[in-house]
Amino acid sequence: MSGTDNPYGGSYGGQMNATASYGGAPAAAADAGYIKDTTTAGFTKDVLEESRRQPVLVDFWAPWCGPCKQLTPVIEKVVSESRGQVKLVKMNIDDHPSIPGQLGIQSIPAVIAFVDGRPVDGFMGAVPESQIRQFIEKLAGPPGADQAAEIEAVLAEAETLLGNGDVQGAAQLYGAVLQADQENAKAAAGMMQCLIALGDTDRASQMLGSLPEDLAKDPAVQAVAKKLEQIEEARKLGDPVALQRQLDANPDDHEARLKLAKILNVQGEREQAADHLLTIMRKDRAFDDDGARRQLLQFFEVWGPKDPATIAARRRLSSILFS
């Protein structure tokens, strides 16, 4: 990845769009996904097949129709704001008369709703915006009814991608969630994790500092904050090669071992970091007032309870504490 590009949109050298500025997707981007024109040949794919995934509204119109010109901007606005609850497909009956003829469309504008490949409801005329919203809610439920589940699925996918090393793919998903839900703590924490993985801890710290107070207190965000603190501390602990030489010369140099554990942790060597701390505990529980155990617990907070390194180290910690 170049120094000027970023996986979540905007200029990597300037203020980030998806991380520091939370807002909805641009209307043009939304329209591109939810609104399209169709033809007689495309009707099966655009309407019948698509309606098996979510309701599809078909707007039958013509260039000479005055009420059509009134209805079009209103229905496009409502569909765009529905964010995928329904899709809108427009058909010019002058250019494509066979489909409306088969459906018995005799007056326009006429809007027919398709679900599971079949027409299920409709209305005629340039009806007001409130009536269009009611019509869509009747078909698809209130706005946001499925959004929470969809967001959780996207977050789970992003976490998997990040865990597999696909930082760019994860960041794109976290950015998309932040556009839909600007105060989603998991997405904010995930985006900062992506920045850390890219080596841009300064930008991650900037994002952390820009979060609203309530969001900054979320456990997921707090875990990232502690990770940033650990990274900053590790920068001041010296050369890991020199620390390893000190340990080779004196395996009981617990101070050097503790520093090395902290450095290995921020380098992603979690198992080795935990091993050093557990070694200190086995040899001298009193060192630094049980500092090795306290440091390991801080690692657990950042790694998370389900991380394999946490699970393995917690088992070994238990054997030391309770043997």
Side-chain angles (χ1 to χ4, degrees), residues 52-69:
R52 300 186 188 282
R53 288 181 279 274
Q54 75 283 299
V56 175
L57 308 184
V58 183
D59 177 14
F60 295 99
W61 68 284
W64 46 263
C65 170
C68 296
K69 296 176 183 178

Side-chain angles (χ1 to χ4, degrees), residues 55-291:
V56 175
L57 308 184
V58 183
D59 177 14
F60 295 99
W61 68 284
W64 46 263
C65 170
C68 296
K69 296 176 183 178
Q70 298 174 22
L71 176 67
T72 295
V74 178
I75 194 170
E76 287 184 350
K77 174 178 180 287
V78 177
V79 168
S80 293
E81 291 174 354
S82 77
R83 298 294 178 90
Q85 283 188 295
V86 299
K87 289 192 175 182
L88 175 65
V89 174
K90 299 183 291 184
M91 175 170 274
N92 183 338
I93 68 169
D94 285 352
D95 294 340
H96 305 282
S98 62
I99 297 293
Q102 292 171 22
L103 293 173
I105 303 298
Q106 298 179 347
S107 178
I108 57 172
V111 176
I112 306 298
F114 284 75
V115 175
D116 292 329
R118 301 188 306 275
V120 296
D121 204 350
F123 62 85
M124 297 176 62
V127 303
E129 181 177 327
S130 59
Q131 188 172 330
I132 296 173
R133 292 188 185 280
Q134 291 173 1
F135 183 79
I136 290 176
E137 287 189 20
K138 180 181 176 183
L139 284 172
D146 298 324
Q147 188 180 49
E150 182 179 354
I151 285 177
E152 285 302 315
V154 173
L155 288 171
E157 182 180 356
E159 184 178 359
T160 299
L161 290 175
L162 184 58
N164 292 336
D166 186 356
V167 180
Q168 180 175 348
Q172 288 174 341
L173 294 181
Y174 285 130
V177 172
L178 286 173
Q179 286 185 338
D181 180 5
Q182 62 185 10
E183 294 190 356
N184 189 290
K186 289 183 180 179
M191 184 63 80
M192 288 186 289
Q193 292 278 22
C194 291
L195 288 169
I196 292 171
L198 291 170
D200 199 342
T201 54
D202 289 342
R203 191 62 59 84
S205 296
Q206 290 173 13
M207 181 178 175
L208 177 64
S210 73
L211 296 179
E213 184 177 353
D214 290 345
L215 196 60
K217 293 179 180 178
D218 184 271
V221 175
Q222 283 293 301
V224 179
K226 290 177 181 177
K227 185 172 185 176
L228 287 168
E229 291 174 3
Q230 291 172 358
I231 292 171
E232 185 60 29
E233 181 186 12
R235 288 173 175 170
K236 305 173 183 177
L237 295 178
D239 179 11
V241 176
L243 291 170
Q244 185 62 59
R245 282 200 296 265
Q246 288 179 237
L247 280 180
D248 292 340
N250 178 13
D252 290 330
D253 187 341
H254 301 325
E255 183 67 30
R257 192 178 294 278
L258 180 62
K259 290 180 179 179
L260 185 57
K262 292 178 179 181
I263 294 173
L264 289 169
N265 169 55
V266 302
Q267 291 177 342
E269 302 294 341
R270 295 179 174 180
E271 292 81 4
Q272 293 183 43
D275 186 63
H276 279 299
L277 296 179
L278 291 165
T279 298
I280 295 173
M281 289 186 63
R282 282 196 300 269
K283 291 188 173 186
D284 185 0
R285 285 289 304 279
F287 170 74
D288 192 26
D289 193 21
D290 203 15

